[in-house]
Amino acid sequence: MGKLICLAREERNLSRDELGAMLGISPEQVKRFEEDRDRMPPGLLYRLSELLELPVTAFFRD
């Protein structure tokens, strides 16, 4: 999931600071999600999917 978050963020030319601000979390937390060190809560994952214009199911593919 982390790689997809990172790739989608970079494709949209968003920094971790910008994405974090949009989600209401710190850039450090974005980094932890991208590195798969933390699990993203379902509500936040839903909001992320909206911001990145990806279906939620995209985060659960192998």
Side-chain angles (χ1 to χ4, degrees):
M1 181 184 311
K3 272 189 179 176
L4 177 59
I5 295 169
C6 185
L7 286 172
R9 176 182 60 76
E10 290 174 346
E11 285 176 357
R12 287 151 183 81
N13 294 314
L14 293 170
S15 68
R16 286 182 178 142
D17 289 334
E18 292 168 325
L19 184 57
M22 295 166 80
L23 292 170
I25 61 175
S26 70
E28 293 78 18
Q29 186 63 54
V30 173
K31 182 179 179 181
R32 287 192 294 269
F33 291 141
E34 289 181 348
E35 294 174 349
D36 289 321
R37 289 193 288 149
D38 285 348
R39 284 194 175 174
M40 187 173 284
L44 193 59
L45 181 61
Y46 180 77
R47 179 71 182 128
L48 177 69
S49 73
E50 290 180 326
L51 291 171
L52 298 179
E53 298 177 344
L54 292 170
V56 172
T57 55
F59 296 99
F60 298 101
R61 295 184 183 157
D62 291 329

